[in-house]
């Protein structure tokens, strides 16, 4: 039986790994090929066409990225190659074989001066180099392949790989007190929920519900990093004292947006993706980590 091929990059990252864990993949209408650096090195854009000579996917989900936001300020050539140039090449290769590209981007494309949720078509103005390259990647993807969907997300965590939730759990066990920034607000995203949303989009496209363009996805709810840390502590039953601090007390090489809440209405309206409350997903993650 013919099954469309879905290629997923970043198989060892939070999101790529969560897509591979989805139970539904076992008896699914698609074939999946999960890849990482060995199969496609995003730091070497010129090597990408060779992959497409061997593989002709119908859908390409790009979860691979350079995600070390602070290090990106100094590793600029590498960051741009992975987050922008390669995404452009992937999009061009996808266009040649009529393949739909879904590429993941970030809330860090916005400057964070907003006071209401950012709409997908709102002007971008990244504060840091990582955000700048993700923004460039979005543009190249859309320009090079008309069948492109950009899904911006925020504050991603998972049971797998490194993230804020796992770092908090480790530090809260080791320390009596932690100071966490309280004046940056946004919405966490459980990578498992985003993974399901992406597969839902692929199913919808395959079923003939066709939309392209920029979309937003995160869990629902708006909190600060301090609120997030407090909730992690409570749900994990830890006793560490968590203190709120302003961003000015925690300087980092890369600036972060103060407000990075994404408006998710269009992904719900166009693809029927379900939004899940951040608290219930965090509870699930902490339960699974135990
Ligand atoms: N994490 C967040 O809070 C966050 C927030 C907003 C948006 N996003 C976006 O969401 C997407 C998924 O993020 P994530 O959290 O799953 O990231 P992640 O855990 O850091 O995973 C990134 C993946 O990219 C791969 N990668 C890095 N360099 C590569 C290269 N040269 N060639 C091929 N693959 C390479 C990594 O491989 P190795 O593991 O082998 O290095 C890893 O599998 C990314 O587009 C990211 O920008 C993330």
């Amino acid at each position: 039986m013919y099954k469309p091929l879905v290629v997923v990059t970043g198989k060892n990252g939070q999101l790529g790994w969560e897509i591979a864990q989805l139970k539904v993949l076992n008896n699914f209408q698609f074939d999946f090929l999960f890849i990482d650096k060995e199969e496609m090195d995003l730091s070497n854009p010129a090597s990408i066409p060779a992959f497409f000579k061997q593989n002709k996917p119908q859908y390409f989900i790009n979860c691979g990225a350079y995600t070390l936001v602070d290090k990106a300020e100094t590793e600029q050539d590498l960051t741009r190659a992975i987050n922008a140039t390669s995404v452009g090449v992937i999009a061009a290769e996808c266009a040649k074989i009529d393949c739909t590209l879904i590429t993941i981007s970030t809330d860090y494309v916005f400057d964070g001066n907003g006071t209401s949720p950012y709409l997908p078509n709102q002007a971008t103005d990244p504060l840091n180099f990582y955000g700048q390259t993700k923004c460039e990647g979005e543009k190249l993807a859309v320009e090079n392949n008309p069948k492109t969907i950009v899904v911006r997300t925020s504050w991603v965590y998972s049971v797998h790989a490194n993230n804020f939730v796992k770092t908090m759990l480790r530090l809260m066990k080791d320390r009596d007190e932690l100071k966490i920034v309280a004046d940056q607000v946004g919405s966490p995203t459980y990578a498992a929920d985003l993974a399901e949303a992406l597969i839902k989009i692929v199913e919808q496209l395959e079923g003939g519900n066709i939309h392209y363009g920029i979309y937003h996805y995160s869990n629902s709810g708006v909190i600060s990093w301090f609120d997030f840390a407090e909730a992690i502590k409570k749900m994990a039953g830890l006793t560490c004292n968590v203190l709120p601090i302003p961003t000015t007390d925690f300087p980092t090489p890369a600036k972060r947006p103060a407000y990075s809440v994404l408006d998710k209405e269009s992904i719900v309206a166009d693809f029927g993706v379900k939004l899940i409350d951040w608290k219930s997903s965090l509870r699930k993650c902490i339960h699974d980590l135990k």
Side-chain angles (χ1 to χ4, degrees):
M1 189 187 105
Y2 165 76
K3 285 185 176 186
L5 174 64
V6 184
V7 169
V8 182
T9 61
K11 74 173 177 192
N12 299 316
Q14 301 191 79
L15 182 56
W17 185 86
E18 290 284 7
I19 296 175
Q21 305 313 303
L22 292 177
K23 303 260 184 313
V24 68
L25 299 192
N26 293 334
N27 48 5
F28 210 51
Q29 66 193 99
F30 300 97
D31 281 328
F32 281 83
L33 174 61
F34 292 90
I35 63 173
D36 219 304
K37 281 188 194 80
E38 296 73 35
E39 296 86 0
M40 182 186 287
D41 183 358
L42 300 174
S43 69
N44 182 6
S47 71
I48 291 173
F51 174 88
F52 284 89
K53 287 213 166 67
Q54 302 292 324
N55 303 278
K56 309 279 180 214
Q58 278 69 41
Y59 299 92
F60 192 104
I61 307 180
N62 182 35
C63 306
Y66 184 101
T67 57
L68 302 171
V69 176
D70 288 315
K71 232 175 150 192
E73 295 295 316
T74 43
E75 288 204 313
Q76 296 202 343
D77 289 348
L78 180 63
T79 308
R80 178 165 275 135
I82 294 174
N83 290 351
T85 318
S86 279
V87 181
V89 175
I90 289 169
E93 290 297 319
C94 284
K96 284 184 200 163
I97 56 169
D98 199 31
C99 170
T100 298
L101 170 63
I102 302 176
T103 190
I104 313 304
S105 191
T106 171
D107 54 335
Y108 284 9
V109 299
F110 296 115
D111 65 12
N113 292 328
T115 50
S116 57
Y118 282 100
L119 294 163
N121 62 358
Q122 219 162 314
T124 55
D125 189 12
L127 294 178
N128 56 49
F129 193 75
Y130 163 79
Q132 173 64 37
T133 60
K134 294 295 288 185
C135 206
E136 290 167 12
E138 289 184 358
K139 287 199 181 86
L140 288 168
V142 171
E143 274 166 24
N144 292 356
N145 185 2
K147 293 189 170 181
T148 289
I149 295 176
V150 173
V151 179
R152 293 188 189 128
T153 187
S154 58
W155 300 21
V156 178
Y157 68 94
S158 153
V159 293
H160 177 74
N162 296 321
N163 55 64
F164 184 80
V165 173
K166 289 172 74 179
T167 303
M168 285 299 111
L169 290 172
R170 192 183 68 245
L171 294 178
M172 284 172 185
K173 280 173 196 155
D174 287 355
R175 298 189 192 172
D176 296 331
E177 187 177 285
L178 271 185
K179 292 176 179 167
I180 305 295
V181 169
D183 55 2
Q184 288 171 27
V185 296
S187 310
T189 304
Y190 189 29
D193 296 337
L194 176 53
E196 283 199 24
L198 295 174
I199 295 308
K200 170 94 181 176
I201 290 173
V202 172
E203 283 175 321
Q204 289 287 307
L205 292 168
E206 187 61 17
N209 180 22
I210 311 284
H211 302 274
Y212 302 112
I214 299 178
Y215 289 89
H216 289 167
Y217 181 87
S218 69
N219 286 134
S220 52
V222 177
I223 55 170
S224 70
W225 288 110
F226 168 75
D227 299 330
F228 200 19
E230 277 277 278
I232 293 163
K233 172 183 135 179
K234 239 191 203 162
M235 287 182 198
L238 297 169
T239 53
C240 174
N241 192 22
V242 182
L243 299 173
I245 55 163
T247 301
T248 46
D249 284 4
F250 188 68
T252 50
K255 274 193 190 166
R256 266 75 171 169
Y259 180 90
S260 68
V261 181
L262 301 173
D263 185 297
K264 300 168 282 283
E265 258 180 44
S266 61
I267 203 167
V268 174
D270 286 357
F271 294 111
V273 163
K274 284 202 181 76
L275 299 182
I276 302 168
D277 171 64
W278 72 269
K279 267 190 189 162
S280 61
S281 288
L282 177 61
R283 204 167 285 121
K284 202 158 164 264
C285 177
I286 288 178
H287 174 267
D288 290 351
L289 279 167
K290 278 181 180 164

